[in-house]
Amino acid sequence: MVTPADDRRRRSLTTVWLVARREIRERTRRTAFRWSTVGLAALTMLAGTVAGLVEQGSGPEYTVAVVGSQTEALVDALAEPPPEGRATSSLQLTVVTPSSMAEAVALLRTGTAEVVVDSDDPSVVWQAAPDPALASRIDSALRAVQLRSAAATEGLPIEVVDEVLAGAPDVSSISPGTSVDPVALVAGIGAAVLLLASLTLWGNYLLMSVIEEKDTAVVEVLLGQVPARQLLAGKVLGTGLAALGQIGVLLAAAALALVLSGTAVPPGVVAAIPSVLVWFVLGFWLYATLYAAAGSLVSRQEDAGQAAAPITIVLVATYIVVFQTAESPDSTVATVLSLVPPLAPMLMPLRIATSSVALWEVMVAVSLLVLTGLLVLRLASRIYERSILQRGVRTGWADALRSR
Amino acid sequence: MLELHDLHKRYGDVVALDGVSLSVKRGQLVGFLGPNGAGKTTAMRAILRVVQLDRGTITWDGHPVDEDTRRRIGYMPAERGLYPAMRVAEHIEYLGRLAGLDAPSARRATRTWLERLDLAGRADDEVRTLSTGNMQRVQLALALVHEPELLVLDEPFSGLDPLASTSMRAILEELLGGGTAVLFSSHQLDLVQDLARDVVIVHRGATVLSGDVSTLRSASPHRFVELSVTGEGRHRLDDLEDELFDRFGSTVVRRTAAAVRLRVSSEVDARQVVEAAARVPEVVGVSYGPPDLSEVFAEAVRW
């Protein structure tokens, strides 16, 4: 049964959507929008490719000399996909098989090989200090060979052995943060900067569009049919959707660049890319309503900067904090700052990409952001409703909240 | 019927409305008059609920104006406002949709109004490329696209050239014939006198005079005698002024070399006054009558 209240709700949703659709059309129809999207996508792809190149060159390269009767089995074992640890998976191995131990040691001396492995009487000789990652890889390979030959002697089914070997523990460093993976770093900073830039850019579009409606007085015609709140909601929604579309294109470009360059993508980055969309939605909600309220306070484009100054200051401050956070994403300061609502939309995706963030941290950040968003929405729509028809005068933030 | 009853509104220390009341019936056109700052715009905004009142009621057919009734009102604010970058047809259609029309109806209504307002050729042009006159027409189309039952027009004639003014009048008269109620404000009092049978005059936020224009005019305690002459008659106007002053206590309202307008009491015998005036040689025209609307207005807002 459709009650009058349902009917009203449906109609107000229709109104909000009509306003939003106009904003989307108005925004995306402009050549500037199309070119800036193409340009930014190209930049993102370039950044992604550079990150990929950095990553490919970063894995240490080693030559391993293998001798003994089990040489063949050991070479196979070394070529097996390594356990899912970042530290070992980026190793670039070249395996050589000299005919004798003496020949192998000669390779060590000339520096052609960094390590010799004897498969019969398992022993490992290093040219210099062992690389723990490579040592662990060789160790695993040796044990695999031993286990397989023992199994063959004892008559254990080979499947059981393979299963045991496949279940080998992940090998990784226990002190993350000391060295952040470069792909993660580029992706994390990239995400934070993209979010910052988008919030600033689209927030300012909204600011200008609110002022334009006031400046041209078209807002009074609209208010004759549409309640101020619905107008505000439609403008925020429409601008947000247009922005989301642009960010979607940019993220797709980034993902494409990473795939094309064949980079090994850290799991944090895989999680961070789609989460950017979610953080943008939450961040935009907060900032956009503030920008709209700022726009309603002034009547001329020239006053826009002054009205939006408090918001700009917060965003610029966040920009500085982003680089601090990238250096040590797990520090207490970074953790705390990433929970602060106005900063969370930028700092959280950065931390998710560059370190391991606990689920509770994300939940707290999101909850605080949503709560702040709701509060700001109330205040901002009150300011908007009260000042949108006050033309000619510049209203202060405090005045707009006080007066009625 | 639209009824405004005892509207009050303050902005800080400024009293914008201090007891405005008026009513407009279906098929009736009411001129809403008052000096600048009298509260006309505030009262009109209040009808659309763009302004929140401190006190007073506004009803349409006995019901308070809510979201639903608001969609049956067409509004043209004093400050014209259009999106410069929108195309003409798109703009009109958009307002139609906001007022509750579905997409096909909005398109149909837009086409109709573009034709009627002579804008069909500009349908796909951006609003910013239009002349001022054409922008005014678009503005009017925005108020009319959803076929409102009530039109609230704030200064609809300001900035119109005589031709556009005439077509605006034709449209308003046609709408009245169809039963639309129209409330419009204007400073062009001669135009209001011609167009509106009823007026409401507000001053300092309150209604000071309202009713049928001819009744208001004849209710005045004054009558006006106007005489224009030529040739020899020009030298006799001073004598006439003296004579009418002695006999009827008249006062001169306006005087040029070849014409004079005098005010007398409505008690005075009209025939004697006109006869005295007509005795001046080389008369071009004599008239006797109640005050113009502008004189009624000036008296109402003098204090």
Side-chain angles (χ1 to χ4, degrees), chain A residues 128-168:
Chain A
D131 175 331
L134 181 55
S136 122
R137 177 96 161 252
I138 292 169
D139 194 45
S140 304
L142 274 175
R143 281 175 201 282
V145 170
Q146 285 174 328
L147 194 56
R148 283 199 184 107
S149 77
T153 342
E154 300 296 325
L156 260 173
I158 193 72
E159 295 80 24
V160 175
V161 175
D162 282 345
E163 204 173 310
V164 170
L165 287 172

mmCIF file of all heavy atoms in Angstrom, chain A residues 128-168:
data_model
loop_
_atom_site.group_PDB
_atom_site.id
_atom_site.type_symbol
_atom_site.label_atom_id
_atom_site.label_comp_id
_atom_site.label_asym_id
_atom_site.label_seq_id
_atom_site.Cartn_x
_atom_site.Cartn_y
_atom_site.Cartn_z
ATOM 1 N N ALA A 128 79.941 -14.583 0.191
ATOM 2 C CA ALA A 128 80.035 -13.553 1.222
ATOM 3 C C ALA A 128 78.953 -13.836 2.267
ATOM 4 O O ALA A 128 78.470 -14.961 2.369
ATOM 5 C CB ALA A 128 79.851 -12.184 0.594
ATOM 6 N N ALA A 129 78.555 -12.811 2.995
ATOM 7 C CA ALA A 129 77.517 -12.994 4.013
ATOM 8 C C ALA A 129 76.231 -13.491 3.343
ATOM 9 O O ALA A 129 75.848 -12.987 2.297
ATOM 10 C CB ALA A 129 77.241 -11.669 4.716
ATOM 11 N N PRO A 130 75.571 -14.492 3.953
ATOM 12 C CA PRO A 130 74.370 -15.056 3.321
ATOM 13 C C PRO A 130 73.219 -14.048 3.305
ATOM 14 O O PRO A 130 73.060 -13.280 4.242
ATOM 15 C CB PRO A 130 74.021 -16.240 4.210
ATOM 16 C CG PRO A 130 75.136 -16.421 5.167
ATOM 17 C CD PRO A 130 75.912 -15.147 5.222
ATOM 18 N N ASP A 131 72.429 -14.072 2.203
ATOM 19 C CA ASP A 131 71.174 -13.315 2.167
ATOM 20 C C ASP A 131 70.116 -14.204 2.805
ATOM 21 O O ASP A 131 69.892 -15.324 2.339
ATOM 22 C CB ASP A 131 70.824 -13.002 0.700
ATOM 23 C CG ASP A 131 69.471 -12.316 0.573
ATOM 24 O OD1 ASP A 131 68.584 -12.548 1.426
ATOM 25 O OD2 ASP A 131 69.296 -11.555 -0.405
ATOM 26 N N PRO A 132 69.530 -13.752 3.898
ATOM 27 C CA PRO A 132 68.589 -14.647 4.624
ATOM 28 C C PRO A 132 67.462 -15.148 3.716
ATOM 29 O O PRO A 132 67.052 -16.302 3.830
ATOM 30 C CB PRO A 132 68.029 -13.758 5.726
ATOM 31 C CG PRO A 132 68.742 -12.468 5.671
ATOM 32 C CD PRO A 132 69.642 -12.428 4.499
ATOM 33 N N ALA A 133 67.031 -14.311 2.801
ATOM 34 C CA ALA A 133 65.918 -14.709 1.932
ATOM 35 C C ALA A 133 66.344 -15.873 1.042
ATOM 36 O O ALA A 133 65.654 -16.895 0.933
ATOM 37 C CB ALA A 133 65.464 -13.532 1.083
ATOM 38 N N LEU A 134 67.532 -15.723 0.445
ATOM 39 C CA LEU A 134 68.012 -16.771 -0.446
ATOM 40 C C LEU A 134 68.336 -18.033 0.352
ATOM 41 O O LEU A 134 68.029 -19.158 -0.071
ATOM 42 C CB LEU A 134 69.247 -16.277 -1.212
ATOM 43 C CG LEU A 134 69.845 -17.264 -2.207
ATOM 44 C CD1 LEU A 134 68.800 -17.749 -3.201
ATOM 45 C CD2 LEU A 134 71.037 -16.646 -2.933
ATOM 46 N N ALA A 135 68.933 -17.834 1.540
ATOM 47 C CA ALA A 135 69.274 -18.973 2.397
ATOM 48 C C ALA A 135 68.035 -19.786 2.697
ATOM 49 O O ALA A 135 68.043 -21.021 2.610
ATOM 50 C CB ALA A 135 69.913 -18.473 3.688
ATOM 51 N N SER A 136 66.958 -19.097 3.007
ATOM 52 C CA SER A 136 65.735 -19.806 3.369
ATOM 53 C C SER A 136 65.175 -20.523 2.137
ATOM 54 O O SER A 136 64.671 -21.646 2.233
ATOM 55 C CB SER A 136 64.733 -18.811 3.959
ATOM 56 O OG SER A 136 63.553 -18.798 3.238
ATOM 57 N N ARG A 137 65.320 -19.906 0.990
ATOM 58 C CA ARG A 137 64.826 -20.529 -0.244
ATOM 59 C C ARG A 137 65.609 -21.810 -0.539
ATOM 60 O O ARG A 137 65.023 -22.838 -0.885
ATOM 61 C CB ARG A 137 64.970 -19.501 -1.385
ATOM 62 C CG ARG A 137 64.579 -20.008 -2.739
ATOM 63 C CD ARG A 137 63.156 -19.632 -3.076
ATOM 64 N NE ARG A 137 62.955 -19.727 -4.514
ATOM 65 C CZ ARG A 137 62.821 -18.691 -5.321
ATOM 66 N NH1 ARG A 137 62.802 -17.473 -4.832
ATOM 67 N NH2 ARG A 137 62.662 -18.877 -6.617
ATOM 68 N N ILE A 138 66.938 -21.723 -0.389
ATOM 69 C CA ILE A 138 67.776 -22.895 -0.644
ATOM 70 C C ILE A 138 67.457 -23.995 0.368
ATOM 71 O O ILE A 138 67.315 -25.177 0.035
ATOM 72 C CB ILE A 138 69.279 -22.510 -0.571
ATOM 73 C CG1 ILE A 138 69.616 -21.599 -1.758
ATOM 74 C CG2 ILE A 138 70.168 -23.752 -0.561
ATOM 75 C CD1 ILE A 138 70.990 -20.954 -1.649
ATOM 76 N N ASP A 139 67.313 -23.565 1.605
ATOM 77 C CA ASP A 139 66.987 -24.502 2.686
ATOM 78 C C ASP A 139 65.706 -25.268 2.358
ATOM 79 O O ASP A 139 65.661 -26.496 2.429
ATOM 80 C CB ASP A 139 66.819 -23.700 3.975
ATOM 81 C CG ASP A 139 66.815 -24.606 5.191
ATOM 82 O OD1 ASP A 139 67.689 -25.494 5.245
ATOM 83 O OD2 ASP A 139 65.917 -24.428 6.039
ATOM 84 N N SER A 140 64.679 -24.539 1.966
ATOM 85 C CA SER A 140 63.405 -25.180 1.627
ATOM 86 C C SER A 140 63.586 -26.168 0.486
ATOM 87 O O SER A 140 63.059 -27.288 0.535
ATOM 88 C CB SER A 140 62.376 -24.132 1.169
ATOM 89 O OG SER A 140 62.218 -23.160 2.141
ATOM 90 N N ALA A 141 64.367 -25.742 -0.519
ATOM 91 C CA ALA A 141 64.547 -26.603 -1.682
ATOM 92 C C ALA A 141 65.276 -27.897 -1.291
ATOM 93 O O ALA A 141 64.871 -28.995 -1.690
ATOM 94 C CB ALA A 141 65.317 -25.850 -2.763
ATOM 95 N N LEU A 142 66.323 -27.737 -0.468
ATOM 96 C CA LEU A 142 67.086 -28.907 -0.021
ATOM 97 C C LEU A 142 66.201 -29.888 0.742
ATOM 98 O O LEU A 142 66.208 -31.094 0.513
ATOM 99 C CB LEU A 142 68.243 -28.466 0.885
ATOM 100 C CG LEU A 142 69.540 -28.068 0.166
ATOM 101 C CD1 LEU A 142 70.546 -27.543 1.184
ATOM 102 C CD2 LEU A 142 70.122 -29.292 -0.577
ATOM 103 N N ARG A 143 65.411 -29.328 1.670
ATOM 104 C CA ARG A 143 64.545 -30.194 2.477
ATOM 105 C C ARG A 143 63.520 -30.895 1.598
ATOM 106 O O ARG A 143 63.199 -32.072 1.820
ATOM 107 C CB ARG A 143 63.824 -29.376 3.547
ATOM 108 C CG ARG A 143 64.732 -29.086 4.706
ATOM 109 C CD ARG A 143 64.084 -28.172 5.736
ATOM 110 N NE ARG A 143 65.123 -27.538 6.533
ATOM 111 C CZ ARG A 143 65.769 -28.174 7.518
ATOM 112 N NH1 ARG A 143 65.482 -29.434 7.803
ATOM 113 N NH2 ARG A 143 66.707 -27.561 8.197
ATOM 114 N N ALA A 144 63.041 -30.177 0.599
ATOM 115 C CA ALA A 144 62.066 -30.793 -0.292
ATOM 116 C C ALA A 144 62.685 -31.999 -0.999
ATOM 117 O O ALA A 144 62.062 -33.068 -1.097
ATOM 118 C CB ALA A 144 61.577 -29.758 -1.313
ATOM 119 N N VAL A 145 63.925 -31.813 -1.469
ATOM 120 C CA VAL A 145 64.601 -32.908 -2.186
ATOM 121 C C VAL A 145 64.798 -34.097 -1.254
ATOM 122 O O VAL A 145 64.488 -35.245 -1.589
ATOM 123 C CB VAL A 145 65.960 -32.424 -2.745
ATOM 124 C CG1 VAL A 145 66.774 -33.600 -3.269
ATOM 125 C CG2 VAL A 145 65.719 -31.392 -3.832
ATOM 126 N N GLN A 146 65.281 -33.789 -0.025
ATOM 127 C CA GLN A 146 65.529 -34.862 0.961
ATOM 128 C C GLN A 146 64.240 -35.596 1.285
ATOM 129 O O GLN A 146 64.196 -36.819 1.312
ATOM 130 C CB GLN A 146 66.112 -34.274 2.253
ATOM 131 C CG GLN A 146 67.562 -33.881 2.107
ATOM 132 C CD GLN A 146 68.067 -33.158 3.355
ATOM 133 O OE1 GLN A 146 67.299 -32.467 4.010
ATOM 134 N NE2 GLN A 146 69.343 -33.337 3.655
ATOM 135 N N LEU A 147 63.203 -34.846 1.498
ATOM 136 C CA LEU A 147 61.922 -35.422 1.895
ATOM 137 C C LEU A 147 61.404 -36.333 0.782
ATOM 138 O O LEU A 147 60.937 -37.460 1.043
ATOM 139 C CB LEU A 147 60.920 -34.299 2.171
ATOM 140 C CG LEU A 147 59.629 -34.674 2.902
ATOM 141 C CD1 LEU A 147 59.956 -35.361 4.226
ATOM 142 C CD2 LEU A 147 58.795 -33.448 3.152
ATOM 143 N N ARG A 148 61.550 -35.870 -0.447
ATOM 144 C CA ARG A 148 61.047 -36.672 -1.567
ATOM 145 C C ARG A 148 61.820 -37.983 -1.697
ATOM 146 O O ARG A 148 61.234 -39.042 -1.912
ATOM 147 C CB ARG A 148 61.138 -35.869 -2.873
ATOM 148 C CG ARG A 148 60.027 -34.831 -2.966
ATOM 149 C CD ARG A 148 59.811 -34.357 -4.385
ATOM 150 N NE ARG A 148 58.792 -33.304 -4.387
ATOM 151 C CZ ARG A 148 59.054 -32.012 -4.570
ATOM 152 N NH1 ARG A 148 60.298 -31.608 -4.793
ATOM 153 N NH2 ARG A 148 58.082 -31.124 -4.546
ATOM 154 N N SER A 149 63.172 -37.889 -1.529
ATOM 155 C CA SER A 149 63.935 -39.132 -1.701
ATOM 156 C C SER A 149 63.670 -40.080 -0.545
ATOM 157 O O SER A 149 63.563 -41.292 -0.735
ATOM 158 C CB SER A 149 65.435 -38.839 -1.885
ATOM 159 O OG SER A 149 66.013 -38.522 -0.634
ATOM 160 N N ALA A 150 63.531 -39.512 0.677
ATOM 161 C CA ALA A 150 63.203 -40.349 1.835
ATOM 162 C C ALA A 150 61.861 -41.019 1.630
ATOM 163 O O ALA A 150 61.682 -42.212 1.898
ATOM 164 C CB ALA A 150 63.179 -39.497 3.111
ATOM 165 N N ALA A 151 60.902 -40.282 1.116
ATOM 166 C CA ALA A 151 59.562 -40.812 0.885
ATOM 167 C C ALA A 151 59.618 -41.962 -0.107
ATOM 168 O O ALA A 151 58.955 -42.984 0.075
ATOM 169 C CB ALA A 151 58.648 -39.700 0.368
ATOM 170 N N ALA A 152 60.451 -41.783 -1.151
ATOM 171 C CA ALA A 152 60.559 -42.833 -2.168
ATOM 172 C C ALA A 152 61.103 -44.123 -1.542
ATOM 173 O O ALA A 152 60.588 -45.218 -1.812
ATOM 174 C CB ALA A 152 61.468 -42.353 -3.304
ATOM 175 N N THR A 153 62.120 -43.955 -0.652
ATOM 176 C CA THR A 153 62.699 -45.118 -0.004
ATOM 177 C C THR A 153 61.691 -45.804 0.913
ATOM 178 O O THR A 153 61.560 -47.020 0.945
ATOM 179 C CB THR A 153 63.926 -44.729 0.863
ATOM 180 O OG1 THR A 153 64.386 -43.449 0.453
ATOM 181 C CG2 THR A 153 65.030 -45.764 0.718
ATOM 182 N N GLU A 154 60.935 -45.007 1.687
ATOM 183 C CA GLU A 154 60.006 -45.561 2.676
ATOM 184 C C GLU A 154 58.681 -45.960 2.056
ATOM 185 O O GLU A 154 57.825 -46.500 2.748
ATOM 186 C CB GLU A 154 59.735 -44.532 3.782
ATOM 187 C CG GLU A 154 60.959 -44.082 4.546
ATOM 188 C CD GLU A 154 61.632 -45.222 5.328
ATOM 189 O OE1 GLU A 154 60.891 -46.104 5.817
ATOM 190 O OE2 GLU A 154 62.880 -45.242 5.429
ATOM 191 N N GLY A 155 58.490 -45.671 0.794
ATOM 192 C CA GLY A 155 57.248 -46.045 0.110
ATOM 193 C C GLY A 155 56.059 -45.152 0.434
ATOM 194 O O GLY A 155 54.912 -45.558 0.291
ATOM 195 N N LEU A 156 56.330 -43.913 0.873
ATOM 196 C CA LEU A 156 55.218 -42.968 1.117
ATOM 197 C C LEU A 156 54.707 -42.441 -0.230
ATOM 198 O O LEU A 156 55.510 -42.171 -1.127
ATOM 199 C CB LEU A 156 55.727 -41.773 1.923
ATOM 200 C CG LEU A 156 55.473 -41.746 3.420
ATOM 201 C CD1 LEU A 156 56.214 -40.571 4.027
ATOM 202 C CD2 LEU A 156 53.987 -41.659 3.719
ATOM 203 N N PRO A 157 53.389 -42.282 -0.368
ATOM 204 C CA PRO A 157 52.891 -41.733 -1.645
ATOM 205 C C PRO A 157 53.426 -40.305 -1.852
ATOM 206 O O PRO A 157 53.413 -39.500 -0.924
ATOM 207 C CB PRO A 157 51.365 -41.706 -1.488
ATOM 208 C CG PRO A 157 51.072 -42.355 -0.179
ATOM 209 C CD PRO A 157 52.328 -42.535 0.596
ATOM 210 N N ILE A 158 53.842 -40.010 -3.071
ATOM 211 C CA ILE A 158 54.453 -38.723 -3.380
ATOM 212 C C ILE A 158 53.466 -37.559 -3.196
ATOM 213 O O ILE A 158 53.835 -36.445 -2.839
ATOM 214 C CB ILE A 158 55.055 -38.756 -4.813
ATOM 215 C CG1 ILE A 158 55.989 -37.533 -5.053
ATOM 216 C CG2 ILE A 158 53.981 -38.797 -5.882
ATOM 217 C CD1 ILE A 158 57.288 -37.624 -4.314
ATOM 218 N N GLU A 159 52.160 -37.860 -3.371
ATOM 219 C CA GLU A 159 51.135 -36.821 -3.206
ATOM 220 C C GLU A 159 51.145 -36.254 -1.790
ATOM 221 O O GLU A 159 50.976 -35.051 -1.572
ATOM 222 C CB GLU A 159 49.718 -37.358 -3.498
ATOM 223 C CG GLU A 159 49.478 -37.789 -4.933
ATOM 224 C CD GLU A 159 50.039 -39.186 -5.217
ATOM 225 O OE1 GLU A 159 50.176 -39.967 -4.252
ATOM 226 O OE2 GLU A 159 50.369 -39.463 -6.378
ATOM 227 N N VAL A 160 51.326 -37.177 -0.828
ATOM 228 C CA VAL A 160 51.332 -36.754 0.583
ATOM 229 C C VAL A 160 52.487 -35.789 0.820
ATOM 230 O O VAL A 160 52.335 -34.736 1.448
ATOM 231 C CB VAL A 160 51.455 -37.990 1.520
ATOM 232 C CG1 VAL A 160 51.596 -37.529 2.974
ATOM 233 C CG2 VAL A 160 50.254 -38.895 1.349
ATOM 234 N N VAL A 161 53.628 -36.133 0.235
ATOM 235 C CA VAL A 161 54.811 -35.293 0.412
ATOM 236 C C VAL A 161 54.577 -33.908 -0.208
ATOM 237 O O VAL A 161 54.852 -32.874 0.407
ATOM 238 C CB VAL A 161 56.031 -35.972 -0.238
ATOM 239 C CG1 VAL A 161 57.247 -35.054 -0.164
ATOM 240 C CG2 VAL A 161 56.313 -37.305 0.434
ATOM 241 N N ASP A 162 54.048 -33.936 -1.433
ATOM 242 C CA ASP A 162 53.814 -32.652 -2.112
ATOM 243 C C ASP A 162 52.853 -31.768 -1.319
ATOM 244 O O ASP A 162 53.010 -30.546 -1.243
ATOM 245 C CB ASP A 162 53.254 -32.893 -3.527
ATOM 246 C CG ASP A 162 54.376 -33.296 -4.474
ATOM 247 O OD1 ASP A 162 55.558 -33.095 -4.089
ATOM 248 O OD2 ASP A 162 54.081 -33.818 -5.560
ATOM 249 N N GLU A 163 51.853 -32.463 -0.723
ATOM 250 C CA GLU A 163 50.883 -31.705 0.064
ATOM 251 C C GLU A 163 51.572 -31.029 1.247
ATOM 252 O O GLU A 163 51.315 -29.867 1.550
ATOM 253 C CB GLU A 163 49.785 -32.648 0.553
ATOM 254 C CG GLU A 163 48.482 -31.941 0.870
ATOM 255 C CD GLU A 163 47.403 -32.967 1.184
ATOM 256 O OE1 GLU A 163 47.236 -33.911 0.388
ATOM 257 O OE2 GLU A 163 46.765 -32.817 2.234
ATOM 258 N N VAL A 164 52.441 -31.804 1.891
ATOM 259 C CA VAL A 164 53.173 -31.261 3.037
ATOM 260 C C VAL A 164 54.038 -30.075 2.583
ATOM 261 O O VAL A 164 54.053 -29.014 3.200
ATOM 262 C CB VAL A 164 54.052 -32.343 3.691
ATOM 263 C CG1 VAL A 164 54.998 -31.720 4.732
ATOM 264 C CG2 VAL A 164 53.189 -33.402 4.342
ATOM 265 N N LEU A 165 54.705 -30.257 1.452
ATOM 266 C CA LEU A 165 55.593 -29.189 0.968
ATOM 267 C C LEU A 165 54.809 -27.937 0.567
ATOM 268 O O LEU A 165 55.244 -26.809 0.811
ATOM 269 C CB LEU A 165 56.409 -29.690 -0.240
ATOM 270 C CG LEU A 165 57.506 -30.682 0.100
ATOM 271 C CD1 LEU A 165 58.116 -31.245 -1.178
ATOM 272 C CD2 LEU A 165 58.576 -30.034 0.965
ATOM 273 N N ALA A 166 53.645 -28.159 -0.038
ATOM 274 C CA ALA A 166 52.829 -27.015 -0.466
ATOM 275 C C ALA A 166 52.365 -26.210 0.736
ATOM 276 O O ALA A 166 52.114 -25.018 0.654
ATOM 277 C CB ALA A 166 51.642 -27.487 -1.291
ATOM 278 N N GLY A 167 52.227 -26.909 1.864
ATOM 279 C CA GLY A 167 51.756 -26.217 3.083
ATOM 280 C C GLY A 167 52.871 -25.518 3.818
ATOM 281 O O GLY A 167 52.706 -25.143 4.960
ATOM 282 N N ALA A 168 53.983 -25.355 3.164
ATOM 283 C CA ALA A 168 55.112 -24.700 3.830
ATOM 284 C C ALA A 168 54.729 -23.305 4.313
ATOM 285 O O ALA A 168 53.919 -22.644 3.676
ATOM 286 C CB ALA A 168 56.278 -24.598 2.845
#
